[in-house]
Amino acid sequence: RHCSICFNTQNEEKRTLELGGHVGFDSLPDQLVSKSVTQGFCFNILCVGETGIGKSTLMNTLFNTTFETEEGNHYRNDVHIRARTYDLQESNVNLKLTIVDTVGFGDQINREESYKPIIDYIDTQFENYLQEELKIKRSLFNYLDTRIHICLYFITPNGHSLKSLDLITMKKLDSKVNIIPIIAKADTVSKSELHKFKIKIMSELVSNGVQIYQFPTEDEAVSEINASMNAHIPFAVVGSVEEVKVGNKFMRARLYPWGSVQVENENHCDFLKLREMLLRVNMEDLREQTHTRHYELYRRCKLEEMGFRDTDPDSQPFSLQEMYEAKRREFLGELQRKEEEMRQMFVNKVKETEAELKDKERELHERFEQLKRRHMEEKRSLEEKRRDLEEEMNAFNRRKVAAETLMGQALQGCSQQPFKKDKDKKK
């Protein structure tokens, strides 16, 4: 076998040389496959949708298994993020699957901040990966990557357009995660209405500037199928884990009194298209887009916030050591400034406290003087009353003595008159 190799130098034009024999670097793809299979893969799915719309059922249907789930209710006061990780194996390939559910999404009366817990969770996973990258001793080889690779946004089939909550949430998420909108429980809508609903959804997404994930068409091997599948977005899906007998076969379907809706029948719903695009054809592209687009955007903004940059204003290479020293000096200066502010604040607080204490002391002293004066006045008043009472008592005693004297004299006079009458009778 002969391989062609190209050389390009500054002084020579590109030349094509023919190798004389087999070298062996054509086995690189096989080596990468073997290494990747040994390491295993991770895939993280975020399911955003209202309670009871069929998120857990669709996940069970996608992976043909039954995951541990808890039925949600409509009485939560906030949106709770619940993430669960499972180890799956198909043939000799191991997949660490993480399913993230938004419990209570859309159940609140005030839905203004329903999207914030979702954004915070996505940013937290980016931050964890960035912190691992910035470590001196990194372990990205066996690091459990929890960054969200795909967001399946479940749209309720009732109504004629998207809800404002749907538009706001997808607009907030489109720069942080790959979004694929899907119409859940599509068997509740007629075929003609479903077609009009799809057109209406895509029209509203475009008019509001929402960037959803588009299947890549650069690779010739999948460009044709991806281009055709892009025209089917949003996928109208039906989920079911029940085995129903249709004809002579058992297949997953939903059984109704008038018939059955087969999950894996493309004439009934787009479940097969979603599974084909999501798992078989474009899973690696979703992982790559998450790393090269969404994570890199977060990383760049975060490092710029920290003051890092690639070049100085003169477009000269900037030393990382110099940048570190500059950031260290800036940090120490900021720390010293804050310390001085805290010291000055403490001094001001002490002065204010001393002034308040002096004011309190002056108020207490004035109050004491007032009480003292009041006490003296009351004491003088009591003394005057006591003297008046003593004078009244003395006057009373004098009147009493005079009255007793007069009474004694009167009694003595009365006793002498009968004695004189007895003497006159004897005569």
Side-chain angles (χ1 to χ4, degrees):
R1 184 195 300 178
H2 296 282
C3 298
S4 61
I5 184 170
C6 299
F7 294 92
N8 188 8
T9 62
Q10 295 180 353
N11 300 325
E12 297 180 1
E13 296 182 356
K14 183 169 63 174
R15 298 181 300 163
T16 302
L17 300 181
E18 296 292 336
L19 297 178
H22 180 260
V23 176
F25 58 76
D26 59 349
S27 65
L28 271 174
D30 298 333
Q31 297 176 34
L32 291 176
V33 169
S34 177
K35 183 179 180 180
S36 299
V37 169
T38 303
Q39 292 178 351
F41 301 90
C42 67
F43 193 59
N44 306 318
I45 303 177
L46 171 65
C47 298
V48 181
E50 299 179 3
T51 304
I53 202 171
K55 301 186 293 295
S56 300
T57 302
L58 183 64
M59 290 299 101
N60 294 337
T61 311
L62 269 177
F63 295 95
N64 196 21
T65 186
T66 302
F67 298 111
E68 299 177 2
T69 56
E70 298 177 3
E71 291 187 1
N73 55 57
H74 297 276
Y75 304 104
R76 292 193 62 90
N77 295 325
D78 56 355
V79 179
H80 173 65
I81 305 299
R82 182 176 61 197
R84 293 183 175 178
T85 302
Y86 308 93
D87 292 320
L88 305 180
Q89 183 175 3
E90 189 174 52
S91 299
N92 63 333
V93 178
N94 295 317
L95 178 67
K96 189 172 289 292
L97 175 68
T98 300
I99 299 176
V100 182
D101 191 10
T102 54
V103 183
F105 180 79
D107 290 338
Q108 295 74 35
I109 296 177
N110 183 5
R111 305 177 182 182
E112 184 178 358
E113 298 183 353
S114 296
Y115 62 87
K116 287 188 176 180
I118 305 174
I119 292 178
D120 292 340
Y121 178 84
I122 296 174
D123 287 342
T124 300
Q125 312 317 309
F126 284 155
E127 181 66 23
N128 294 338
Y129 193 88
L130 178 60
Q131 291 298 327
E132 185 66 27
E133 273 193 336
L134 295 178
K135 287 182 179 179
I136 297 176
K137 293 183 178 180
R138 302 184 299 178
S139 57
L140 295 176
F141 175 78
N142 56 358
Y143 175 77
L144 178 58
D145 189 2
T146 56
R147 296 173 297 175
I148 300 299
H149 299 126
I150 180 64
C151 169
L152 296 179
Y153 196 94
F154 289 71
I155 301 172
T156 54
N158 53 351
H160 300 285
S161 61
L162 290 173
K163 299 179 181 179
S164 58
L165 176 64
D166 299 331
L167 289 172
I168 293 174
T169 304
M170 282 193 277
K171 184 62 179 176
K172 295 292 184 180
L173 293 177
D174 63 358
S175 62
K176 297 180 178 295
V177 67
N178 303 312
I179 300 177
I180 295 182
I182 58 177
I183 302 173
K185 296 184 177 181
D187 52 337
T188 60
V189 187
S190 66
K191 193 170 183 179
S192 59
E193 291 176 348
L194 189 60
H195 180 68
K196 294 178 182 179
F197 192 36
K198 284 187 175 185
I199 296 175
K200 182 65 174 178
I201 289 174
M202 293 306 298
S203 175
E204 291 185 344
L205 292 177
V206 172
S207 61
N208 287 275
V210 179
Q211 301 292 328
I212 64 173
Y213 175 76
Q214 294 290 321
F215 301 118
T217 57
E218 292 81 10
D219 188 358
E220 295 181 358
V222 294
S223 61
E224 184 177 352
I225 184 174
N226 280 349
S228 64
M229 289 301 172
N230 282 329
H232 286 84
I233 297 177
F235 294 118
V237 298
V238 176
S240 175
V241 293
E242 299 179 2
E243 295 287 339
V244 177
K245 187 175 182 180
V246 180
N248 297 326
K249 297 181 179 180
F250 282 92
M251 56 183 60
R252 288 180 294 179
R254 298 184 69 87
L255 191 61
Y256 294 97
W258 44 263
S260 62
V261 176
Q262 302 169 20
V263 173
E264 296 178 332
N265 189 335
E266 293 191 26
N267 294 323
H268 292 183
C269 68
D270 298 331
F271 173 78
L272 280 183
K273 297 182 178 67
L274 175 64
R275 186 178 63 182
E276 184 83 359
M277 292 296 98
L278 190 65
L279 304 180
R280 193 183 75 83
V281 181
N282 297 296
M283 178 184 284
E284 184 57 31
D285 184 73
L286 290 167
R287 287 158 40 89
E288 183 181 353
Q289 287 291 324
T290 299
H291 182 78
T292 60
R293 180 186 170 193
H294 302 294
Y295 170 70
E296 284 299 322
L297 177 61
Y298 175 85
R299 177 179 176 274
R300 184 179 66 201
C301 295
K302 195 70 174 179
L303 293 180
E304 287 177 353
E305 289 179 4
M306 297 169 62
F308 290 93
R309 59 184 185 274
D310 294 330
T311 58
D312 62 7
D314 298 329
S315 298
Q316 297 296 326
F318 198 87
S319 172
L320 185 61
Q321 180 66 23
E322 294 177 0
M323 184 180 299
Y324 170 75
E325 292 294 337
K327 292 297 294 182
R328 185 174 183 273
R329 288 192 298 269
E330 181 182 349
F331 174 75
L332 292 177
E334 183 70 15
L335 185 64
Q336 186 176 2
R337 185 183 63 80
K338 290 185 178 181
E339 185 179 356
E340 185 63 29
E341 289 180 357
M342 293 181 64
R343 185 183 293 108
Q344 188 63 35
M345 188 183 299
F346 176 75
V347 172
N348 294 336
K349 286 289 185 182
V350 170
K351 290 181 179 179
E352 291 176 2
T353 305
E354 289 179 351
E356 291 178 359
L357 289 175
K358 288 181 179 179
D359 293 339
K360 292 290 184 182
E361 185 180 0
R362 185 169 58 254
E363 290 177 2
L364 289 175
H365 184 70
E366 292 176 355
R367 187 176 180 185
F368 173 73
E369 291 296 331
Q370 291 177 358
L371 292 174
K372 187 177 180 181
R373 288 193 297 270
R374 188 182 301 173
H375 173 70
M376 295 301 294
E377 292 174 357
E378 291 178 353
K379 186 176 181 181
R380 285 195 300 268
S381 176
L382 290 174
E383 288 292 337
E384 292 176 357
K385 290 180 179 180
R386 187 176 64 82
R387 286 194 299 268
D388 294 341
L389 287 174
E390 288 178 352
E391 291 177 357
E392 290 179 3
M393 289 177 64
N394 291 333
F396 176 77
N397 289 331
R398 286 194 297 270
R399 289 194 299 269
K400 181 180 179 182
V401 171
E404 290 177 350
T405 303
L406 292 174
M407 188 177 292
Q409 292 176 356
L411 291 174
Q412 186 176 2
C414 291
S415 62
Q416 287 179 357
Q417 288 179 359
F419 182 69
K420 288 181 179 182
K421 289 179 179 182
D422 291 340
K423 282 186 177 183
D424 293 337
K425 289 178 179 181
K426 287 181 180 183
K427 290 179 177 183

